[in-house]
Amino acid sequence: MINVLKFFGRKKQKPVNSVAVVLSGGGARGAIEVGVLHALNEYGIKVEAISGTSIGAIVGVFYSAGVTPLEMKKIMSSQRFIKIFRFAWSKKGLLSMSELLRMFKKYNIGEDFESLKIPFYACASNLETGKAEIFHTGNLHKAVVASASIPLLFEPEIINGQHYIDGGLYNNFPIEPLLNRYPYLLGVHVNNFKQPEEYSAMAVAERVFTAVVQQNVIDKLDKCDFLINPYLENRNGIIDFRQTDKLFEIGYNEGVKFAEMALQKEALS
């Protein structure tokens, strides 16, 4: 669905030609975010900046580096991307992010935030301080890896002597760096889904994590000028990328609805 209540209440009587975008975490459901970005591209709506957590940070950094959403969909559907979630059997965590770093190299994503084509912010959780932190300078690769390091699945990332994990733990919808800096803020939230009737061990772990992160999201959704928050009949596990094409289409269709509405002057009158 698209929440447009605040949209109709704005005073600016003009089409929306550009937006700053917030991308939530949600694992494989990040394909929805890729679909939304594809729709924005098709309709010529400029993305002025992106702030993302976890998979939202991965999607955001690829887009900010100039990788097209269609190429991102191919990446997420590929065995190479799925290898990001291979078992590493380390003492600190079960999975390794080494494959993600290889993909950064393949797609020429530099190590500095300044190398990106549009402003980008990555949110990660600091285990020492128990707080979320927003990265906009420093080592880009480390910031994104930290942002996407799901607890218990991935090793914490060490930055300046501090241990960081998935940004969603403390801030799964990092609107802060974009608020009051851009005319319009579009949020894409991908964790609105039907709960399973039976719980596997992984489903239980994800349910607990989702319940925790939702507490830091609820109050932020209505601060967006626009919100894409589709309800999913199927949960789609966080590391199950078999439904990438289907989720991409859901995001694309929601993005088209938003774009067609946003570009119409009469929608604002």
Side-chain angles (χ1 to χ4, degrees):
M1 73 169 194
I2 301 173
N3 181 346
V4 295
L5 295 179
K6 295 187 71 178
F7 176 73
F8 287 119
R10 295 187 68 92
K11 295 180 179 180
K12 295 185 178 181
Q13 306 295 312
K14 63 180 181 179
V16 179
N17 296 312
S18 65
V19 291
V21 180
V22 183
L23 302 176
S24 77
R29 294 185 293 273
I32 293 172
E33 299 168 339
V34 179
V36 171
L37 292 172
H38 181 52
L40 298 184
N41 278 8
E42 277 198 348
Y43 279 80
I45 296 178
K46 179 183 177 182
V47 175
E48 296 193 57
I50 294 179
S51 179
T53 284
S54 198
I55 191 66
I58 294 177
V59 171
V61 76
F62 274 95
Y63 187 87
S64 298
V67 180
T68 68
L70 287 179
E71 184 64 25
M72 279 192 274
K73 183 177 76 165
K74 291 180 182 179
I75 292 170
M76 293 181 73
S77 301
S78 70
Q79 288 299 312
R80 188 176 180 87
F81 188 82
I82 293 172
K83 284 181 180 179
I84 292 173
F85 303 95
R86 68 182 179 180
F87 284 96
W89 300 115
S90 75
K91 293 180 180 180
K92 296 179 181 179
L94 292 176
L95 303 172
S96 170
M97 281 286 188
S98 59
E99 192 63 31
L100 180 59
L101 295 175
R102 293 190 186 97
M103 295 186 70
F104 285 163
K105 183 176 181 180
K106 177 180 178 181
Y107 289 94
N108 298 314
I109 297 176
E111 294 187 7
D112 299 320
F113 281 83
E114 292 75 13
S115 68
L116 299 173
K117 299 180 184 300
I118 63 174
F120 169 70
Y121 303 82
C123 178
S125 297
N126 186 321
L127 287 178
E128 272 74 27
T129 65
K131 297 179 180 179
E133 293 183 20
I134 303 292
F135 290 89
H136 184 55
T137 60
N139 189 300
L140 174 64
H141 292 184
K142 279 184 168 291
V144 175
V145 167
S147 180
S149 293
I150 302 170
L152 302 181
L153 292 181
F154 293 97
E155 298 180 18
E157 183 70 15
I158 300 176
I159 302 175
N160 297 326
Q162 303 285 294
H163 293 76
Y164 291 86
I165 59 172
D166 195 301
L169 181 63
Y170 298 131
N171 188 348
N172 203 39
F173 202 67
I175 63 175
E176 291 80 4
L178 305 181
L179 279 175
N180 303 316
R181 296 188 61 189
Y182 299 91
Y184 296 106
L185 180 57
L186 168 65
V188 186
H189 182 251
V190 298
N191 297 302
N192 183 18
F193 51 82
K194 182 179 181 180
Q195 298 299 330
E197 295 180 1
E198 296 183 3
Y199 285 94
S200 63
M202 178 60 76
V204 169
E206 183 177 353
R207 179 70 182 105
V208 171
F209 186 68
T210 300
V212 172
V213 301
Q214 283 297 95
Q215 298 307 307
N216 65 58
V217 168
I218 295 174
D219 293 338
K220 297 181 182 182
L221 298 181
D222 65 358
K223 292 183 180 180
C224 296
D225 298 299
F226 318 101
L227 176 65
I228 292 178
N229 187 28
Y231 179 74
L232 306 174
E233 285 291 339
N234 297 313
R235 176 175 61 89
N236 298 101
I238 57 174
I239 59 174
D240 182 1
F241 289 87
R242 293 173 296 179
Q243 300 298 316
T244 291
D245 287 350
K246 178 180 178 181
L247 292 168
F248 176 92
E249 285 302 315
I250 290 173
Y252 173 73
N253 290 334
E254 294 296 318
V256 167
K257 292 176 186 176
F258 160 72
E260 290 182 343
M261 173 201 65
L263 292 173
Q264 292 179 2
K265 290 184 180 181
E266 58 267 28
L268 290 169
S269 60

